Each structure stands twice: as C-alpha cells, then as structure tokens.
Amino acid sequence: MVELGDRMRFTIVWAPLACLVTLATASPQEEPATAVDPAGHWEGRILRLGVDFDVDLFRRDGAWAGDVSIPAEGAFDLPLTAIEVDGLSVAFTIDETPGDPTFRGTLVTDSTFTGTLRQAGAEFVFELRRAAETAAADAGLDAFGPWMREALEAWRVPGAAVAVVRGDAAVLLEGYGVRSLASGEPVDPDTLFAIGSTTKAFTTFLVATEIERGVLGWDDRVRDALPDFRLADEFVSERLTVRDLVTHRSGLPRHDLLWYGRSGVNAPDIVQRMRHLSLNRGLRQTFQYNNLGFVVAGEVLRAETGKDWHELVRERVFEPLGMRRSTTRAADFLADANHATGHGDRGGEIVEIPFRRVDVVGPAGSIGSSVAEMSNWIRLQLRRGAFEGTPLVEPASLAELHTPQMIVSELPEDPMIGIGAAAHGWFVDSYRGHLRVHHGGRIDGYAAFVALFPNDDLGVVCYANATPTPLPELAVRRIADLALDLEPRDWSGEALAAQETADAEDDAPPPRVEGTSPSRPIDAFAGEYLHPGYGSFIVEASGAESALTLRMDDLGGPLEHWHFDTFRVAESAGGSEDPFSGLLVRFETDETGAVSAAHVVLEPALPPLRFTAAADPRLSDPDVLAELVGTYRYREMDFVVSLRGTGLVADVAGQPTFTLVPKRDDTFSIAEAEGYSVQFRRDESGTCTAVELRQPNGTFIAKRTE
C-alpha cells in the first residue's frame, strides 16, 4: 500500500524494478528543445499504476509554484514543493505526503514531459502532455464527420452514432444518417442501438463485483455454484472455472443454434442442454468464441446473488452510471420511440429486417444503448472503475478484466494490428503501437464496436444499423488516427476493395450427384426430428407436389431435393441472416426402410448432428395402445403385448420383458435389443390382426389369437 497522505490511497501490484519501463527519450526524428517553458496545465498518467493525474505549473512572485490532482483518488489541487527547473529537467514533490512522492523528468518537446515518480523506495514511469495538445487533437475530430457521411454511403449503411471520450469527458457525441430507411428520422446521440456482444464486458464487470464481495473467484469451479452443471466431457465438467467461461477456452465451439432464433428456451434450459453438446477441443487448449459460456456465467451470478442478470445490470451498472434508457430487454428496446431499426441486404437491396429477441442469452449480447449513455461506461473504464469520483469496482479488479488470458489463434493480417488475446469480456491487442482493449458486436441488423486506448486515455464507441458491415471498427480506427495524431490511412477504402475482390469470387455449391431421386415418397420424410441439445425441427409436406419445408422455430425454409435422400434448404429462405440457408439435410432410414433420422451441420466445427425421427404422437395415446394389446402367436411361441404405465411391453416365455418404444406407422423398436422392432398390422376396418417381428435374421409374422 502506497499512501499519498490521508486524501490519496491506492493499492499497487508490486513488480521488480527491473521490469519497469525505462525513462522515455526523444524520438530520433525529433530535435529536442534546448530550453522549454514548463508553465501551463499538463495531463497524463502514471503508467505502471494506470493512474491519471494532472499538474499545473506557474510562476508566483518570481518563483515556481504548482499543484497536482489525481481525480480517481479524490485528490485535487495538492500543493507542490521543491520545484526545480533546469533547462529541460523538471522536478517537484507533493507537499506533506508520506513517502515523499517525487516526480523527476525531462521536457522531451514543448508538449511532452516524461520521467519517473519515486516514492517509498519504489519507482514508476509517468507521461504528461500539455492540455493544449490534447485539445488540438480533439479539434482534429472535426474531420471525422465528412468521412463518416461518405462511409455510410459507400457501405450502404442507413445510420450510425459515435462517442469519443478523452479522460473523463465526452469530446464527441454525434449521430449520422437515419434510424430507419422507412421513416427517415435522423440518428442522434440518444438513439438506442442493439449493441450485441459488446454486452459481454458488462457481464464480466458484474462477476468482478461479486469477486470483490468475496463470494466468488475467477478460478472457482462452475460446479461450486451450479452443482448440476455438466458438459459432454466429464473431465471438463469437473474442472471448468468461471474464468474459462468468459475467456472462450472451454473446448466447446459456438453451438449458437441452440438458442438463436429459438422460442420457448430460457437460460436454465440452455445450461441443461449443454451436457448434450459435443466439444471439439480440450479444456484451455485453444480459443474458441462461445456465447454459451456467458449464459452460464449469468446463471452463476443468479446462484450467488439470487437475482437474474437483467436485474443486476440495472442495479450495478445502469443506475450508478445514469444509463436510464439503456435496456437488456427486447420489448423495452422496441418500445423506446428513439431506437434504430436493423437493416440487411436482401438481393442487393438494403431493407429493414425483423428484430429477433436475444433476451435468452442476455449476458452474451442483449443490451440496447445509446452512444451518449455508453460514454459513461467508457468513462468508468478510463477512470479505473470510478464514475464521477465514486468507485464501482477497485482499480485492480478493472485491470484484471482488461488483462489477456488466452491468445486468439488467428495471426493479424495487417502489421499495424498486434497479436490479439481474449481478456474477460474484452479483447486486447495493439493498434499502430497503441494498447487497445476492445470488443465488437453484431446481431440481426445492428453492428457495434467499442474500443479503449488506456495508455492514451481515449475511448471510442460506434454503432450502425446494418449487418453485415465492418463500418463500426473502421470508424474507430479513423477516430484513433485523428485523436492520436497518427498518419492517415484509408481503412475504409482498403476494406471496400477487399470486399469487392471477395464478392467477385463465386462460392462453389456442395457436390451433387445428378439424376437421382429419393428412396421414399416425399411424405415419408415429413415429421418432427429431435436432438437432446438442440431440441427439434419439423419437416412438413405441403402443396400439390408434396414439397417439403423445414422449420426450426423462426429459422429454415423450403427444402429442394439435392440427391438421393439429401435435401438442401433453399438459399433464399430467410435471407442472409438465416443460418439454415443453403444447409444440406440427409435423411436416414432404418432396417425396415422407415425414415429414422436426419443429419444436418448446425455447428460448422463438428460433423453433422443426428436428429432422430420423433414417434408418431398417436402411439402415445392410451386408446390407440389399447387396440394393440393382446396375444400374438408364431408357431408355438406367444408374443404377449400388454399396457404398463403409459407404454407397451411384450413378454415371451423364458425371456425378460421387452419395452416397446414408439416410432411411426404402428412400428415400435425394442429398447433392450438393438436392430429389433415390431410392426402391428391392421385389416381394412383398422383392427389389429398381426404383428411383424423384425430382427437381423429375418421377419416373422405372429397372428393375433386374442
């Protein structure tokens, strides 16, 4: 603990002095000044601690005087003493403070002052810039408006909004374009957008608040909070931690169609269904982006606090930050008169697209907010967990959220972007040599990008009401170039050229065997198909030609015959946002020739998933089952069918009782004997007269005797 008097106190994670950054010197391209007047207002940061501070230096009665303020510590205008100015060297001490904190450095240029803070035997690097230089950089943002208006047109995006935060103030809040092509109403800084996965940082922030309360730890096992939690791999189930959930290293691929576009599913359902989802990597083996981990994190928070995630976000983030219109619920978002409408490309035309509810995976991406209110969230990040002088989390907790945990496997294609890593609800890399903490978001007609440049005391938010589009990140790059006074680069033009090249490359359709036909009548493929994790989808036969349609809640579309017993979801179905568009569905038949399953790739990182054909609901009707009860004889063997509970069983002398599992067309499989089944036969009046006993070595007819 380092103390700067009773008014300032902050915790430091100590490191060997050898690890400290050395005193900065002038760049080889700069000619250092021979003498610089240090008088004025300076703003900067103690780098190792991440503490922002400002210094005023001035002459009073021929002598140097000054003061220092550290807003995050509630310390303002503390007097300086022992001020020494000798050419380019400047030194001063904070008056009457334990440890004699002394700043000593060099005026590198007229606008840059770097050096070291020494206190109680420890040493830390600091950087200061004249406030006038910061103001000049912010004034350069005037060039952003024309750029954004051109970019909206080039990328065919109806509207966007931007917030730029410098230190503890928003220096740019602006809307561009329109909320909706239909209404033509303009976007303003208060327009709500769906912010997608940039929500994830709010969830990890909530986890940090629980860790500070001492009831949770990053490396606590998920099962400690949710004893019934399981994945398909028991080894992973036993060891998975809270940190693993939110840093994308569980070994589980995305499996997004478990929840996306699905109705009637809630967070507890998702957690239960996850035990039926295949993993494709080992625990902590590699980075794989995963939304489901954040749903589980939300359930961990519920178990620890007794409150759901939606309530916690409002209580611990929205209310203290004054984010009064921000919401986690789709109904509230749509009810707000000033919300943007999502848009997408449909056959070359930009049109409004339906808003799909994502409340069920709220912790992963359901927040709707404006750039005006999100600027307060950025201020909290840049002020080390404090907002307007009130700490919401400790600086060390916030620093942990921004600390890399898992390298992202893809190497950057551009040398100006450093290797990326996943932190807790954030990604971390470098942008043209500047540390960048960021996250993007995309959900049904909305795109977002939030970026922090902690060492530059800069934060940027950009939202757009169209998908897919890279515009928000491109806008953040443009703003960073302006605010950090970097050499301009045409990020948007380069991205447009790359997209045109990609669009010119035709995607090859999947292989197809021409001249084939289905093995069964089209109607035979109709029915419900079940998976223990993904639930079900329905194939319906309709129309004069018995065309097939696949529907999984809000997803799917017409099926066209591809080859043999494989069909393809029409590419036009549901538009570009429908993940079923273009997927192949291969139907499987059993030993009797009945359609027994469908195989479809719903998770690209895994082989096709097998959905079993659901039983005919008639075969669960007690009245129908009663019609099948009786004794059936094959030669000297009696096959006795009886009703037990809600299902049928069969007894054969000298053998154990067999359980009959309903299928279709009066067919039942035998649970205790794979490959064995029975089919009841009816006469023209519908009376059951016999049963076919089907087994690997043949089919045998047993006639009803009673």
Side-chain angles (χ1 to χ4, degrees):
M1 180 77 70
V2 169
E3 298 182 358
L4 298 181
D6 293 336
R7 291 166 292 182
M8 288 188 295
R9 179 172 303 216
F10 48 91
T11 303
I12 296 175
V13 179
W14 294 101
L17 292 182
C19 295
L20 292 174
V21 181
T22 56
L23 180 64
T25 58
S27 138
Q29 290 78 24
E30 295 176 335
E31 289 293 334
T34 56
V36 173
D37 184 356
H41 181 68
W42 299 79
E43 298 174 347
R45 171 169 290 199
I46 303 169
L47 298 183
R48 190 70 174 178
L49 305 180
V51 174
D52 297 302
F53 71 111
D54 62 73
V55 173
D56 292 293
L57 292 172
F58 48 88
R59 292 185 180 87
R60 179 184 294 157
D61 298 329
W64 284 101
D67 57 59
V68 61
S69 297
I70 307 180
E73 306 300 334
F76 299 93
D77 300 328
L78 305 179
L80 301 177
T81 188
I83 301 176
E84 300 176 3
V85 177
D86 184 7
L88 299 178
S89 298
V90 178
F92 48 81
T93 300
I94 302 178
D95 194 22
E96 298 181 359
T97 302
D100 296 322
T102 299
F103 295 78
R104 187 174 298 277
T106 302
L107 293 159
V108 179
T109 68
D110 184 60
S111 60
T112 306
F113 177 25
T114 66
T116 55
L117 160 65
R118 293 182 176 87
Q119 181 185 22
E123 183 174 297
F124 307 93
V125 174
F126 71 84
E127 291 182 354
L128 288 166
R129 294 183 68 187
R130 287 190 191 273
E133 296 300 317
T134 300
D138 292 339
L141 293 175
D142 292 342
F144 177 73
W147 180 94
M148 176 57 98
R149 282 182 277 274
E150 290 181 7
L152 287 176
E153 183 175 353
W155 288 102
R156 304 170 71 214
V157 173
V162 168
V164 180
V165 176
R166 176 83 75 171
D168 202 23
V171 296
L172 177 66
L173 292 172
E174 191 61 73
Y176 308 88
V178 296
R179 294 183 237 160
S180 163
L181 287 175
S183 71
E185 295 175 304
V187 174
D188 61 52
D190 295 314
T191 300
L192 295 184
F193 287 77
I195 74 172
S197 287
T198 62
T199 296
K200 289 180 171 66
F202 289 76
T203 299
T204 53
F205 184 88
L206 293 177
V207 173
T209 64
E210 279 304 288
I211 290 172
E212 287 188 355
R213 287 168 168 78
V215 298
L216 191 61
W218 285 117
D219 298 310
D220 285 358
R221 299 184 317 152
V222 175
R223 276 187 170 174
D224 293 337
L226 304 174
D228 192 41
F229 175 80
R230 281 175 48 210
L231 293 177
D233 187 316
E234 183 57 28
F235 178 89
V236 178
S237 303
E238 182 66 24
R239 292 164 178 80
L240 193 74
T241 67
V242 176
R243 193 190 305 273
D244 296 327
L245 292 174
V246 298
T247 57
H248 308 284
R249 62 187 198 185
S250 67
L252 196 70
R254 295 184 69 132
H255 285 294
D256 280 338
L257 288 183
L258 185 151
W259 60 269
Y260 180 79
R262 310 299 303 279
S263 58
V265 179
N266 58 35
D269 291 336
I270 288 175
V271 174
Q272 288 297 313
R273 291 184 180 193
M274 286 175 67
R275 65 190 60 196
H276 302 293
L277 306 180
S278 296
L279 287 75
N280 67 331
R281 293 290 187 272
L283 178 63
R284 305 177 196 130
Q285 179 184 13
T286 189
F287 168 87
Q288 290 190 119
Y289 194 84
N290 186 275
N291 288 301
L292 301 180
F294 284 80
V295 177
V296 179
E299 290 304 287
V300 169
L301 288 168
R302 185 202 301 269
E304 298 292 354
T305 66
K307 300 178 180 180
D308 73 10
W309 174 85
H310 300 271
E311 184 179 358
L312 288 172
V313 171
R314 180 152 301 282
E315 176 186 295
R316 298 188 184 179
V317 183
F318 289 170
E319 290 180 358
L321 293 184
M323 300 173 69
R324 295 178 180 84
R325 290 176 53 248
S326 296
T327 178
T328 63
R329 302 282 190 184
D332 295 335
F333 176 86
L334 295 173
D336 193 297
N338 187 3
H339 77 270
T341 301
H343 298 76
D345 188 326
R346 296 294 182 268
E349 182 182 2
I350 303 300
V351 299
E352 294 185 6
I353 61 176
F355 185 91
R356 286 200 178 101
R357 296 184 58 179
V358 293
D359 304 29
V360 63
V361 289
S366 77
I367 288 178
S369 189
S370 66
V371 295
E373 294 195 347
M374 278 292 287
S375 69
N376 290 346
W377 170 247
I378 298 301
R379 289 169 61 193
L380 175 77
Q381 305 296 320
L382 296 178
R383 296 275 74 77
R384 301 175 67 238
F387 180 69
E388 296 185 347
T390 300
L392 300 189
V393 293
E394 292 295 325
S397 297
L398 191 75
E400 181 74 2
L401 293 175
H402 298 168
T403 299
Q405 302 294 313
M406 194 73 186
I407 293 294
V408 175
S409 56
E410 293 85 0
L411 291 173
E413 297 180 359
D414 194 302
M416 292 190 180
I417 308 297
I419 293 176
H424 303 84
W426 295 94
F427 292 101
V428 182
D429 60 17
S430 64
Y431 173 78
R432 305 185 76 172
H434 294 257
L435 174 65
R436 181 174 69 161
V437 179
H438 63 92
H439 208 297
R442 171 188 166 185
I443 189 74
D444 292 324
Y446 302 90
F449 201 81
V450 178
L452 311 171
F453 298 85
N455 291 345
D456 301 289
D457 218 10
L458 177 71
V460 188
V461 180
C462 181
Y463 298 147
N465 60 347
T467 52
T469 180
L471 180 58
E473 183 177 2
L474 298 175
V476 169
R477 293 184 184 187
R478 175 62 175 165
I479 288 169
D481 290 349
L482 293 169
L484 301 176
D485 196 22
L486 302 174
E487 182 179 351
R489 179 169 169 177
D490 186 10
W491 292 109
S492 181
E494 292 176 20
L496 281 167
Q499 179 171 288
E500 289 174 3
T501 300
D503 290 345
E505 299 175 355
D506 294 331
D507 293 332
R512 185 175 193 178
V513 180
E514 300 292 344
T516 69
S517 58
S519 65
R520 306 271 299 194
I522 289 293
D523 290 357
F525 299 101
E528 185 177 16
Y529 294 83
L530 308 173
H531 185 278
Y534 281 78
S536 69
F537 63 78
I538 294 174
V539 175
E540 296 177 332
S542 60
E545 299 180 0
S546 295
L548 295 177
T549 300
L550 182 150
R551 183 63 56 194
M552 179 184 270
D553 293 341
D554 295 338
L555 306 176
L559 286 173
E560 56 180 340
H561 180 250
W562 196 248
H563 56 213
F564 302 110
D565 287 344
T566 296
F567 294 74
R568 191 184 190 206
V569 181
E571 289 194 30
S572 60
S576 60
E577 297 293 328
D578 193 324
F580 267 91
S581 181
L583 288 184
L584 294 179
V585 182
R586 179 176 65 85
F587 292 96
E588 169 192 327
T589 57
D590 63 15
E591 67 281 356
T592 70
V595 177
S596 57
H599 299 256
V600 59
V601 176
L602 296 188
E603 171 45 61
L606 292 168
L609 296 172
R610 185 178 189 270
F611 284 70
T612 58
D616 184 340
R618 289 178 55 257
L619 301 185
S620 296
D621 184 334
D623 293 336
V624 173
L625 295 181
E627 297 172 0
L628 308 179
V629 170
T631 299
Y632 302 81
R633 176 165 290 180
Y634 173 74
R635 295 183 179 177
E636 302 300 322
M637 181 195 77
D638 285 341
F639 188 78
V640 181
V641 177
S642 57
L643 190 63
R644 180 178 297 176
T646 59
L648 294 180
V649 296
D651 289 287
V652 177
Q655 298 187 44
T657 298
F658 298 110
T659 305
L660 303 187
V661 180
K663 296 179 72 177
R664 299 182 183 182
D665 303 324
D666 284 343
T667 300
F668 295 74
S669 62
I670 297 178
E672 294 79 10
E674 185 176 356
Y676 290 73
S677 63
V678 299
Q679 182 175 24
F680 293 89
R681 289 183 171 183
R682 298 175 184 266
D683 61 18
E684 293 180 357
S685 68
T687 302
C688 183
T689 60
V691 62
E692 291 185 6
L693 308 176
R694 298 168 174 173
Q695 54 192 57
N697 63 334
T699 299
F700 309 93
I701 308 299
K703 294 184 177 180
R704 189 170 190 168
T705 61
E706 62 178 70

